[in-house]
Amino acid sequence: MSLKNLGEISYFRLNNEINRPIDGKIPLHKDKEALKAFFTENVLPNTMSFTSITEKINYLIANDYIESAFIQNYRPEFIIELADLIKAENFRFKSFMAAYKFYQQYALKTNDGDYYLESLEDRVMFNALYFADGNENLATDLAIEMINQRYQPATPSFLNAGRSRRGELVSCFLIQVTDDMNSIGRSINSALQLSRIGGGVGITLSNLREAGAPIKGYSGAASGVVPVMKLFEDSFSYSNQLGQRQGAGVVYLNVFHPDIIAFLSTKKENADEKIRVKTLSLGITVPNKFYELARKNEDMYLFSPYTIEKEYGIPFNYIDITVMYDELVANPKITKTKIKARDLETEISKLQQESGYPYIINIDTANEANPIDGKIIMSNLCSEILQVQTPSLINDAQEFLEMGTDISCNLGSTNILNMMTSPDFGRSIKAMTRALTFVTDSSNIEAVPTIKHGNSQTHTFGLGAMGLHSYLAQHHIEYGSPESIEFTDIYFMLMNYWTLVESNNIARERGTTFTGFEKSKYADGTYFDKYVTGKFLPKSDLVKTLFKDHFIPQASDWETLRAAVQKDGLYHQNRLAVAPNGSISYINDCSASIHPITQRIEERQEKKIGKIYYPANGLSTDTIPYYTSAYDMDMRKVIDVYAAATEHVDQGLSLTLFLRSELPMELYEWKTERKQTTRDLSILRNYAFNKGIKSIYYIRTFTDDGTEIGANQCESCVI
């Protein structure tokens, strides 16, 4: 940014003074002073002024900053009324970081970068007008939700809505590779195209034949998955959005694939440069059978995808390893190799200690909870998207003989802090559902037909949540306590209920459902079985008090909803997913996602300017005891909280585990403080598996020298 009229810059200095205690106390008032100085010294003198919102919009359209089409959907007087309504809400940033992040990353600027052209109020208005698509009532509802920071669209949506020269409204994708050169070539091109538009891409390689498998009858000819991984990494490095940002991808492999050890070795620090992947992320899909074999300390067999597809006629991803394991072992036509299950478990833990990878997808857990006909086979760059996919069949001309379904992630987030003060929780969620419906209906990724095809059939989105730790701390509730788990359970139950209600309303209005609805557990009604028992109600006095102003659906309400869904269907195949919020949690001034904070005063290294300090929302003498760092918390408590939310989330939650290299005895009931071991990670993975957790994102380890391992989150995957 090359803004003029900067004059004296004191806001960075004032913000940095937060980190210098005075008489043993944190000078939190310095952040407010930095915020005021930022507006005085930076925002106000460098914002282009207009006499009215009409003059501003005309200027932005005339100079090709925003599109005219979405503006023309509304009466001019309505736009003036909406702008006045937003202004009357009297929005104010609560921290320097919030304002700085918005003006640095989201505010529209002149082509030369000298002036700001929008405030947050303007960005909110353009988002509301754009997503409401001409519906004045919806535009009003959305504007109120966003300006009160109850709803926050994902970064690509919030940033690009209404702009003339914009990127896509989504930036997260999943593609499947099948075991032939046509699919590999097409997938590499897809990765290039998606990276070019700023996408983070998840890719499954489990279908590919292993190293040494035959090709056209010649044994030992196949090179396996590692060279393909290198091709994808090079593709992401090359397609780097005009040099502005590295492309980003994750590759997934099933733990029963014969190349699993070589796959994990690519991320080791001492790996040979010929196989080492530096920027590509790694994830593994783990069937229940692996946990069983490791628990019993038994041998495990790795099965050849080539011979499985040859024998059964379907790709490796679509074999249920847990169900068919004994049959595959006994079948002489299936090529297999034997290793010790615990040896592989140790290798996984060693790599997680060293790099934070691999991500873990408990693939059977995900599929057992999946209400949709079909199979989930992988996840995305942040491990929270879990949707069914189907493979494609491609000929030598790179044409689709059978068009499969791949996935785009259409994301947004509720802010728990502010949602709990919503005058109408249900109306808030309904407006958000409508906004995300517009995103999914408007996202046509022409360059990757399988993603366009999948999106057009499923109409999926992923509404999540952030600010859980902020809310709990400000209500003097310990993160991981029974009350925090109960609160999380009820909050996500409400999100599930109201997104179902609105998806059903949209299906009724449009007379259409997602493809395959009739084969889903929604259609036969069994999805609602656990809800019609009346099980999900506040039980403790504290949680009853917290939700006293909100409608809580009773068993009869769920019965009514089940009947409506069976009659008219659902428009969206998937509705909920919790992403690892990045910048949007800063501008919303709340803790990211639903995990604990890592620091009471977070230190961030910003490009070019140095360090910025961000105090946790509502940090005070009263709340400090409840703002325990994730690194000082028993991770089983975090898993318990995520398990409560998982009960209601039809996709996944991006769960990061935070550990210290020295594990304190008081957290884990040990007799002394000791070094973290591979066994500790194995215990946590198994605990998460037994609690019904579908996925684990990074393992982040805080080392003795103050560095974090596994903290290299990429911009494409945080929303």
Side-chain angles (χ1 to χ4, degrees), residues 353-611:
Q353 281 185 317
E354 185 177 311
S355 67
Y357 296 105
Y359 310 153
I360 306 293
I361 308 298
N362 292 324
I363 202 69
D364 289 348
T365 302
N367 277 292
E368 286 162 6
N370 172 38
I372 306 302
D373 182 56
K375 189 170 184 186
I376 297 165
I377 58 171
M378 61 178 292
S379 188
N380 64 319
L381 198 52
C382 296
S383 78
E384 86 278 12
I385 299 302
L386 295 167
Q387 299 176 23
V388 299
Q389 287 172 268
T390 57
S392 297
L393 183 61
I394 304 170
N395 64 17
D396 290 341
Q398 296 283 289
E399 299 166 336
F400 289 98
L401 300 178
E402 292 181 19
M403 177 79 73
T405 54
D406 286 326
I407 297 166
S408 62
C409 318
N410 311 306
L411 302 171
S413 188
T414 62
N415 182 335
I416 295 172
L417 271 172
N418 301 325
M419 275 297 293
M420 288 303 291
T421 62
S422 171
D424 188 335
F425 195 108
R427 183 169 179 168
S428 294
I429 297 294
K430 287 180 176 183
M432 300 172 199
T433 300
R434 296 278 174 169
L436 285 163
T437 301
F438 179 84
V439 174
T440 187
D441 287 346
S442 304
S443 296
N444 296 311
I445 310 299
E446 300 284 351
V448 186
T450 53
I451 285 178
K452 180 181 178 182
H453 181 55
N455 186 61
S456 68
Q457 290 197 330
T458 62
H459 319 137
T460 59
F461 62 86
L463 182 62
M466 57 186 169
L468 177 63
H469 198 182
S470 299
Y471 181 82
L472 295 175
Q474 291 180 39
H475 287 79
H476 294 188
I477 301 171
E478 179 187 348
Y479 190 104
S481 66
E483 293 82 3
S484 73
I485 293 168
E486 184 184 355
F487 172 83
T488 303
D489 180 47
I490 300 302
Y491 185 88
F492 278 91
M493 178 275 294
L494 288 176
M495 286 184 60
N496 189 26
Y497 178 81
W498 287 114
T499 53
L500 282 166
V501 167
E502 196 63 359
S503 184
N504 175 242
N505 288 337
I506 295 171
R508 187 179 305 107
E509 291 167 13
R510 302 188 182 188
T512 188
T513 66
F514 66 83
T515 301
F517 167 79
E518 65 281 357
K519 297 179 181 179
S520 72
K521 292 179 181 178
Y522 299 116
D524 66 23
T526 57
Y527 174 83
F528 298 92
D529 286 352
K530 67 181 180 183
Y531 291 108
V532 298
T533 62
K535 171 184 175 183
F536 299 101
L537 299 169
K539 295 176 178 63
S540 68
D541 289 340
L542 174 59
V543 176
K544 285 179 181 177
T545 300
L546 295 176
F547 284 98
K548 66 181 175 61
D549 296 325
H550 299 294
F551 166 78
I552 304 295
Q554 307 295 305
S556 59
D557 298 304
W558 285 103
E559 285 282 14
T560 300
L561 178 58
R562 171 157 65 181
V565 168
Q566 287 186 279
K567 180 176 183 291
D568 295 313
L570 296 173
Y571 185 71
H572 311 90
Q573 177 186 280
N574 299 90
R575 298 160 288 103
L576 300 176
V578 179
N581 315 118
S583 296
I584 65 168
S585 65
Y586 290 118
I587 64 173
N588 275 257
D589 202 52
C590 66
S591 55
S593 192
I594 65 168
H595 59 64
I597 63 166
T598 56
Q599 298 168 287
R600 288 169 177 158
I601 298 182
E602 183 180 350
E603 178 182 293
R604 281 192 61 90
Q605 186 71 35
E606 292 292 317
K607 296 174 183 177
K608 299 181 182 179
I609 65 166
K611 294 177 180 177

Side-chain angles (χ1 to χ4, degrees), residues 265 267-273 276 354:
S265 297
K267 209 67 180 176
K268 292 183 177 179
E269 289 184 2
N270 61 356
D272 188 294
E273 287 300 316
R276 186 181 179 194
E354 185 177 311

Side-chain angles (χ1 to χ4, degrees), residues 304-345:
S304 162
Y306 171 75
T307 55
I308 280 180
E309 187 161 357
K310 188 176 180 181
E311 174 73 2
Y312 294 99
I314 57 175
F316 185 89
N317 270 328
Y318 295 90
I319 291 288
D320 189 328
I321 295 290
T322 299
V323 171
M324 297 186 63
Y325 183 80
D326 292 337
E327 178 184 336
L328 295 173
V329 170
N331 190 337
K333 295 181 181 180
I334 302 300
T335 303
K336 57 191 76 72
T337 54
K338 184 170 67 174
I339 63 172
K340 295 290 290 184
R342 284 197 183 171
D343 288 348
L344 177 55
E345 186 174 51

